[in-house]
Amino acid sequence: MPKQSPVSRHIVLTSHPSRFGPKPISINWGVSEPIKRGPVIATLTKQTHRNVIGSHSGNYSVYRALAVASGVLQSDHRADLTNTLPVAKIGPHPSWADPDKIVSLDPFGAVVGEVFKSYYEQGYDIRPTIAITKAHINMPELQDAIAKDRLHIDGTIVKPGGDLVVTKAAIEPVWYLPGIAKRFNIAEEDLRRALFEETGGMFPELVTRHDLKVFLPPIAGVTVYIVGDVSAITDPNKPLAVRVHDECNGSDVFGSDICTCRPYLVHGIEVCVKTAQEGGAGIIVYFRKEGRALGEVTKFLVYNARKRQEGGDRADAYFTRTECVAGVQDMRFQELMPDVLHWLGVTRIDRMVSMSNMKYEAITQAGIKIVERVPIPDELVPPDAKVEIEAKKAAGYYATTDVLDENGLARVKGRSLSD
């Protein structure tokens, strides 16, 4: 039997700030100086210190609860952050101080140990929401690209043996609720109510603590892979390639051929490597939004519905079957996607490895210029994925290079769905 560790902390579910009691440190979103902006404090051990709704690594909170309940984790454990600071410097950039450009992550999340040192010394439990490290990655398709002389080993970016050297960042979501509401042109009260109700009332502070403006949602975050010199990202004289990719476990990890996700991801990495070897940099932004943020169960149900319908899997019924099962075609809402690019300091993308109008519009409307859009080569599209590509092209969701207008948008009607 595991050693039992009773949960000793007391959680007040619907607490209001006391008129006479201690108030948490305020968060002044969009302020350039970290101390004046204030730290994000989601501690579960000192309720009076908490100044946000939710908890760190929210999508893993239930596992953490199991660990506490079973006695393998002390409920009052405090992370030892020795030697965990970023191995590469990112920012600060002017966009960090613009409350309209970043609303879904904490730009100071990787450097809390430095910028909020005085609070640590006072006993505040402040956790990083961003971690930056370096690593090597190796994929068989990259080995094939080297063998076919599309990529070359330079010893710095691509090592002998085909290992690709990257700087990578993991980012947890941190939502500034007034900014999220403004981004979607909805009332903050309506946003709070919907979040409260659609999470089954898990976060009553959404409707009882309007003084708390920051929410750590129980969703997965983002991973960024940077190829080349990080400083090249903000150098206007050096090229930048970007692939924004939404998670597809079946294809990205297991090579399912019903979609183009892994081939497009690998193609994006290849373009990023080439751009970095030209003296620039490449960025892969990987969002955990499985099945267009509808979930893998829904996605598999749609696969069955598509394959079993009369006439088999057809481009003209591709999105209809998704909407019949899920009620919508897509819930990724690319409006929040550019925040990570602003965090990186991106102002211009020379090669955007995507033909998605939705991604293009979200990025350009956020003030980032896109010079060129790079499609997936036809030979990389799996046979079983041609229905997907043709459906997106027919609906105007996936642009082709021969139908782009002078603004880079497809000269076709229809709402743009991401690839």
Side-chain angles (χ1 to χ4, degrees):
M1 292 290 291
K3 180 182 176 182
Q4 293 299 308
S5 175
V7 181
S8 58
R9 59 176 177 248
H10 176 61
I11 299 201
V12 181
L13 294 178
T14 56
S15 62
H16 293 261
S18 170
R19 179 175 298 179
F20 304 105
K23 290 183 173 60
I25 297 168
S26 62
I27 298 175
N28 304 298
W29 200 266
V31 174
S32 60
E33 296 181 43
I35 290 295
K36 291 182 179 179
R37 200 294 304 268
V40 170
I41 307 173
T43 179
L44 298 175
T45 56
K46 291 187 177 180
Q47 290 297 310
T48 57
H49 286 183
R50 283 174 57 82
N51 63 359
V52 301
I53 304 166
S55 62
H56 291 298
S57 303
N59 61 319
Y60 288 102
S61 60
V62 172
Y63 290 108
R64 189 166 58 242
L66 286 175
V68 171
S70 62
V72 299
L73 173 66
Q74 294 296 320
S75 62
D76 59 353
H77 171 74
R78 184 165 177 172
D80 179 354
L81 299 175
T82 304
N83 294 327
T84 62
L85 287 172
V87 300
K89 180 176 173 59
I90 294 177
H93 300 295
S95 53
W96 290 23
D98 189 330
D100 290 328
K101 287 188 175 180
I102 298 179
V103 300
S104 62
L105 61 88
D106 177 8
F108 300 105
V111 292
V112 294
E114 295 176 300
V115 300
F116 299 121
K117 184 178 179 180
S118 61
Y119 284 118
Y120 276 101
E121 293 172 348
Q122 296 175 54
Y124 283 90
D125 182 14
I126 305 170
R127 306 288 177 94
T129 57
I130 300 175
I132 304 171
T133 189
K134 287 186 179 291
H136 289 191
I137 62 173
N138 198 315
M139 303 174 73
E141 292 93 338
L142 298 180
Q143 297 277 8
D144 184 62
I146 293 171
K148 293 179 178 177
D149 206 31
R150 295 199 310 273
L151 292 180
H152 66 274
I153 295 172
D154 57 53
T156 302
I157 295 171
V158 181
K159 295 285 190 179
D163 281 358
L164 175 60
V165 179
V166 299
T167 301
K168 63 181 183 179
I171 304 173
E172 291 181 1
V174 178
W175 286 10
Y176 177 56
L177 294 174
I180 297 283
K182 183 178 180 181
R183 187 78 59 90
F184 285 90
N185 194 30
I186 56 179
E188 183 185 342
E189 178 62 32
D190 293 339
L191 172 64
R192 285 174 172 269
R193 174 61 60 177
L195 288 170
F196 171 71
E197 292 179 349
E198 295 302 320
T199 56
M202 284 197 301
F203 304 99
E205 292 163 315
L206 285 166
V207 292
T208 65
R209 292 290 304 272
H210 286 77
D211 60 308
L212 301 181
K213 300 294 186 180
V214 174
F215 176 43
L216 276 55
I219 58 174
V222 186
T223 308
V224 179
Y225 292 83
I226 302 170
V227 185
D229 185 358
V230 172
S231 65
I233 294 173
T234 56
D235 189 331
N237 299 312
K238 295 182 179 180
L240 178 66
V242 173
R243 166 68 184 169
V244 175
H245 190 90
D246 294 310
E247 180 183 28
C248 178
N249 183 62
S251 178
D252 297 342
V253 179
F254 294 101
S256 170
D257 65 351
I258 198 172
C259 62
T260 59
C261 295
R262 182 180 172 99
Y264 221 150
L265 174 61
V266 174
H267 180 56
I269 295 174
E270 188 171 328
V271 173
C272 285
V273 171
K274 290 178 179 178
T275 304
Q277 290 180 330
E278 294 172 9
I283 302 171
I284 301 293
V285 183
Y286 194 91
F287 282 88
R288 293 315 197 289
K289 295 179 180 178
E290 180 64 59
R292 299 185 207 145
L294 301 172
E296 202 165 34
V297 169
T298 295
K299 181 164 72 171
F300 287 8
L301 294 173
V302 172
Y303 285 167
N304 288 344
R306 284 170 48 192
K307 296 287 187 178
R308 290 170 175 167
Q309 65 189 339
E310 185 177 351
D313 198 6
R314 309 190 316 271
D316 64 329
Y318 181 89
F319 295 116
T320 302
R321 297 312 303 148
T322 301
E323 196 161 0
C324 286
V325 175
V328 295
Q329 295 178 1
D330 192 322
M331 289 199 306
R332 285 173 291 183
F333 296 112
Q334 301 293 357
E335 289 88 344
L336 298 178
M337 172 264 291
D339 287 24
V340 65
L341 300 177
H342 286 309
W343 174 70
L344 291 165
V346 174
T347 56
R348 188 197 71 232
I349 298 171
D350 297 280
R351 298 160 188 161
M352 179 69 187
V353 191
S354 171
M355 298 304 290
S356 161
N357 282 341
M358 181 182 282
K359 291 177 182 176
Y360 178 90
E361 291 172 350
I363 291 171
T364 55
Q365 288 175 9
I368 298 172
K369 181 180 180 181
I370 293 178
V371 178
E372 177 189 2
R373 301 168 72 178
V374 181
I376 184 173
D378 289 339
E379 62 270 18
L380 295 183
V381 179
D384 207 25
K386 293 188 183 298
V387 169
E388 173 203 38
I389 290 292
E390 293 307 313
K392 290 179 178 180
K393 289 179 180 178
Y397 299 156
Y398 180 95
T400 56
T401 54
D402 59 337
V403 298
L404 295 180
D405 64 17
E406 66 277 7
N407 296 315
L409 293 174
R411 295 192 299 270
V412 287
K413 295 180 180 180
R415 178 172 172 269
S416 301
L417 194 69
S418 299
D419 50 56

